[in-house]
């Protein structure tokens, strides 16, 4: 079976390389010629642990190829996955421009009875619209399916090979059989498969992401209350997580959720709820709670600097929205840094992987450092915003000797608060006194 992947970003590249590793012949397409040329040489446009080796292996074994010519890839494939981006519009709804551009590329070259699989996260009803759109343009008989992606950046390769479940939204037995065949290696390791109609599969993706975002927003609100009453959010979290009905994951306090999915997907889901006259009030509250929480983080830093941010040097450790990725899309650090800059602070920052992406966002507005200790030099406060492992083992003695004032706002609770205080730091975490 030959497979084309349209959109070679985080999802398209991981899916393409993973399917090639299953033994399929995969062509990944992207409009970005620069990215395609680099990929042909095995150079990855993103940082994702383990991805380089499966790309290299499958390139060498000639099961994986890259092109910017969608037409040839579509004509030459039996199955076409659409994995382009679905960003937010200013009103929170989903911008489907890329999806319909990709659908047009498919329609223009569709020859024969193929399967078109939408994998991009799209609002309920979109896959059916994509089907109609391609059908009207190409007059071809073909099948369609929606197959949501649940990978987590930072562990995307692992998640591709070991998903919790595979959701297949399809309404013809042919589409179901083809997708079952494609994912057969997962079937063999007893991954649960769920077969639903198109709308159900589309809704599952948004419901899952909104629920996870809600868990994070919930524990962050509890963290705030913990600070006020003198409780420890980690104990609360652990106790909650030990309840089998709740589960331990996504109950870690931090500076607020971010990334390429939760912010845009919660907003889009809320819009869908309003459109259908079924307000998703918990999702709406989650979005508000997360915004408020990010602002609370700014106030925490401000308070630790006695309310004076003007000309204060703030050292930021971590820019990516989470560790093990270079992705800065909607990172809570962006909101925090922009707020601090507005209030006149001077920002120095370091992230092990996201420096290039950060330069694209902040330009000359902040100073970029080569490591943690350069950030600490002359800073009035050090703010830990991403829980990269290397920040857990900071040489606190050295850090203290370099800083103007010994202050740490640990927005990920990566340091031992007692140890930080023993070194003489004024230390604040999240949700712990
Ligand atoms: P991305 O921005 O990293 O990649 C999208 C790619 O598509 C880009 O390289 C872009 O150049 C390309 N593209 C756009 N229009 C194209 C076209 N017409 N033809 C060919 N290429 C085109 O996006 P992503 O993070 O991979 O997300 C893709 C989709 O998957 C989104 O809907 C997202 O919500 C969903 N998703 C993402 C993740 C994640 O962690 N990133 C997880 C699950 C689901």
């Amino acid at each position: 079976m030959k497979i084309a992947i349209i959109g070679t970003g985080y999802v398209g590249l991981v899916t393409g390389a993973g399917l090639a590793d299953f033994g399929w012949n995969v062509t990944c397409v992207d409009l970005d010629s620069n990215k395609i040329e680099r990929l042909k040489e095995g150079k990855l446009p993103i940082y994702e642990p383990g991805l380089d080796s499966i790309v290299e292996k499958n390139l060498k074994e000639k099961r994986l190829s890259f092109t910017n010519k969608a037409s040839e890839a579509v004509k030459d494939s039996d199955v076409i996955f659409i994995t382009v981006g679905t960003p937010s519009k200013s009103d929170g709804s989903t911008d489907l421009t890329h999806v319909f551009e990709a659908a047009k590329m498919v329609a223009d070259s569709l020859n024969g009875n193929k399967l078109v699989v939408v994998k991009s996260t799209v609002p309920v009803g979109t896959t059916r619209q994509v089907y109609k759109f391609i059908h009207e343009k190409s007059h071809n008989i073909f099948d369609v399916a929606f197959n949501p992606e649940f990978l987590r950046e930072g562990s995307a390769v692992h998640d591709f090979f070991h998903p919790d479940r595979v959701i297949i939204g399809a309404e013809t037995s042919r589409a179901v059989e083809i997708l079952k065949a494609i994912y057969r290696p997962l079937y063999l390791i007893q991954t649960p498969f769920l077969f639903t109609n198109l709308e159900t599969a589309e809704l599952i993706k948004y419901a899952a992401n909104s629920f996870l975002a809600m868990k994070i927003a919930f524990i962050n609100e509890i963290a705030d209350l913990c600070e006020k009453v003198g409780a420890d959010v980690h104990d609360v979290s652990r106790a909650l997580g030990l309840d089998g009905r709740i589960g331990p994951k996504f109950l870690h306090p931090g500076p607020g959720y971010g990334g390429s999915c939760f912010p845009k997907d919660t907003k889009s889901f809320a819009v869908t709820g309003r459109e259908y006259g079924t307000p998703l009030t918990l999702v709406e509250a989650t979005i508000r709670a997360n915004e408020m929480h990010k602002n609370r983080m700014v106030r925490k830093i401000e308070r630790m600097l006695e309310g004076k941010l003007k000309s204060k040097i703030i050292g930021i450790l971590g820019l990516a929205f989470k560790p093990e990725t270079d992705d800065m899309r909607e990172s809570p650090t962006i909101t925090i840094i922009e707020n601090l800059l507005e209030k006149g602070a001077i920002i120095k920052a370091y992230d092990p992987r996201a420096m290039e992406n950060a330069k694209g966002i902040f330009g000359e507005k902040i100073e970029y450092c080569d490591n943690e200790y350069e950030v600490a030099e002359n800073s009035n406060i050090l703010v830990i915003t991403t829980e990269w492992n290397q920040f857990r083992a900071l040489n606190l003695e050295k850090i203290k000797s370099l800083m103007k004032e010994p202050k740490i706002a640990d927005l990920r609770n990566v340091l031992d608060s007692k140890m930080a205080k023993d070194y003489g730091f004024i230390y604040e975490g999240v949700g712990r006194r």
Side-chain angles (χ1 to χ4, degrees):
M1 192 143 31
K2 287 188 172 171
I3 297 173
I5 307 270
I6 303 195
T8 310
Y10 283 86
V11 169
L13 185 55
V14 171
T15 306
L19 292 177
D21 213 62
F22 282 171
W24 305 118
N25 206 312
V26 181
T27 306
C28 290
V29 182
D30 205 282
L31 291 177
D32 184 341
S33 320
N34 193 22
K35 185 188 266 191
I36 292 298
E37 287 316 309
R38 288 171 57 83
L39 278 165
K40 282 180 183 169
E41 293 166 18
K43 292 183 188 145
L44 300 203
I46 53 171
Y47 172 69
E48 188 58 51
L51 185 57
D52 47 358
S53 56
I54 55 165
V55 168
E56 191 188 321
K57 173 179 161 218
N58 288 283
L59 261 176
K60 205 188 266 168
E61 292 170 8
K62 301 207 182 313
R63 282 189 300 269
L64 181 63
S65 59
F66 298 98
T67 181
N68 54 5
K69 296 190 181 69
S71 155
E72 284 169 24
V74 170
K75 283 185 188 147
D76 204 31
S77 300
D78 308 294
V79 181
I80 301 128
F81 280 83
I82 296 180
T83 53
V84 296
T86 47
S88 283
K89 289 195 210 166
S90 55
D91 64 355
S93 64
T94 300
D95 181 349
L96 291 169
T97 312
H98 300 307
V99 171
F100 282 95
E101 275 169 10
K104 183 170 181 310
M105 289 166 152
V106 175
D108 287 346
S109 305
L110 200 64
N111 53 341
N113 190 355
K114 308 200 164 181
L115 171 62
V116 177
V117 185
V118 177
K119 203 180 225 327
S120 299
T121 304
V122 291
V124 175
T126 306
T127 306
R128 214 172 280 287
Q129 284 170 20
V130 166
Y131 175 77
K132 280 192 194 139
F133 178 87
I134 299 176
H135 187 66
E136 277 162 20
K137 284 206 169 320
S138 73
H139 303 293
N140 236 295
I141 293 175
F142 66 100
D143 288 277
V144 74
F146 179 73
N147 168 222
E149 181 52 61
F150 295 99
L151 63 77
R152 296 161 300 172
E153 286 177 18
S155 52
V157 173
H158 173 271
D159 293 349
F160 179 86
F161 290 107
H162 305 277
D164 289 340
R165 75 298 207 194
V166 173
I167 308 293
I168 293 177
E171 295 172 9
T172 62
S173 53
R174 182 170 171 271
V176 167
E177 290 313 315
I178 294 174
L179 280 163
K180 267 177 149 175
I182 288 177
Y183 287 122
R184 196 172 138 72
L186 299 179
Y187 219 69
L188 296 177
I189 56 167
Q190 297 185 342
T191 306
F193 274 60
L194 244 83
F195 301 97
T196 72
N197 68 8
L198 297 174
E199 286 74 14
T200 308
E202 289 168 332
L203 201 142
I204 286 169
K205 174 65 194 171
Y206 282 101
N209 271 4
S210 298
F211 192 80
L212 294 173
M214 194 165 68
K215 267 185 117 175
I216 297 174
F218 178 81
I219 203 64
N220 281 338
E221 280 199 337
I222 298 297
D224 192 41
L225 185 58
C226 284
E227 286 180 18
K228 302 272 163 57
V229 303
D232 186 319
V233 72
H234 284 278
D235 292 337
V236 176
S237 225
R238 184 161 153 72
L240 289 177
L242 286 169
D243 185 328
R245 296 167 301 178
I246 299 174
K249 293 187 179 161
F250 285 77
L251 286 178
H252 191 85
Y257 64 75
S260 68
C261 292
F262 289 176
K264 80 173 174 63
D265 292 350
T266 44
K267 284 183 209 151
S268 173
F269 204 28
V271 169
T272 302
R274 290 199 292 273
E275 271 173 11
Y276 284 85
T278 312
L280 299 170
T281 54
L282 293 178
V283 180
E284 309 254 11
T286 298
I287 299 165
R288 275 201 309 281
N290 197 53
E291 286 312 308
M292 283 163 66
H293 188 69
K294 287 189 278 184
N295 292 332
R296 270 201 297 271
M297 297 300 100
V298 177
R299 289 203 299 277
K300 180 190 280 289
I301 298 164
E302 197 168 9
R303 197 181 57 244
M304 288 181 76
L305 290 170
E306 290 92 27
K308 294 177 212 114
L309 285 175
K310 189 144 179 53
S311 304
K312 288 284 162 68
I313 301 174
I314 301 185
I316 302 280
L317 291 187
L319 293 160
F321 80 97
K322 65 172 181 177
E324 298 302 330
T325 183
D326 58 357
D327 199 347
M328 282 212 54
R329 287 178 284 183
E330 297 275 342
S331 171
T333 317
I334 301 176
T335 315
I336 293 170
I337 290 182
E338 278 172 353
N339 265 283
L340 295 172
L341 285 171
E342 250 170 51
K343 290 171 192 270
I346 297 160
I347 305 289
K348 297 172 77 176
Y350 168 70
D351 185 284
R353 294 283 174 182
M355 298 303 268
E356 280 314 305
N357 286 336
K359 285 175 190 165
I361 294 170
F362 301 114
E364 309 272 284
K365 289 193 285 185
I366 69 173
E367 186 188 325
Y368 303 95
C369 298
D370 287 335
N371 56 53
E372 302 86 333
Y373 302 99
E374 208 180 308
V375 171
E377 228 173 290
N378 272 330
S379 287
N380 295 91
I381 189 168
L382 204 58
V383 183
I384 303 177
T385 35
T386 314
E387 66 274 39
W388 285 97
N389 268 340
Q390 67 192 70
F391 300 156
R392 295 179 198 277
L394 291 175
N395 178 338
L396 290 179
E397 198 170 344
K398 185 169 170 192
I399 293 272
K400 189 174 173 224
S401 71
L402 292 166
M403 291 182 72
K404 208 180 267 175
E405 297 180 68
K407 290 182 179 172
I408 298 179
D410 181 1
L411 307 187
R412 297 284 183 177
N413 293 349
V414 299
L415 299 181
D416 179 331
S417 57
K418 186 177 174 306
M419 195 201 283
K421 284 170 193 163
D422 287 349
Y423 272 102
F425 281 96
I426 295 169
Y427 171 93
E428 271 201 41
V430 178
R432 324 189 271 198
R433 253 201 191 151

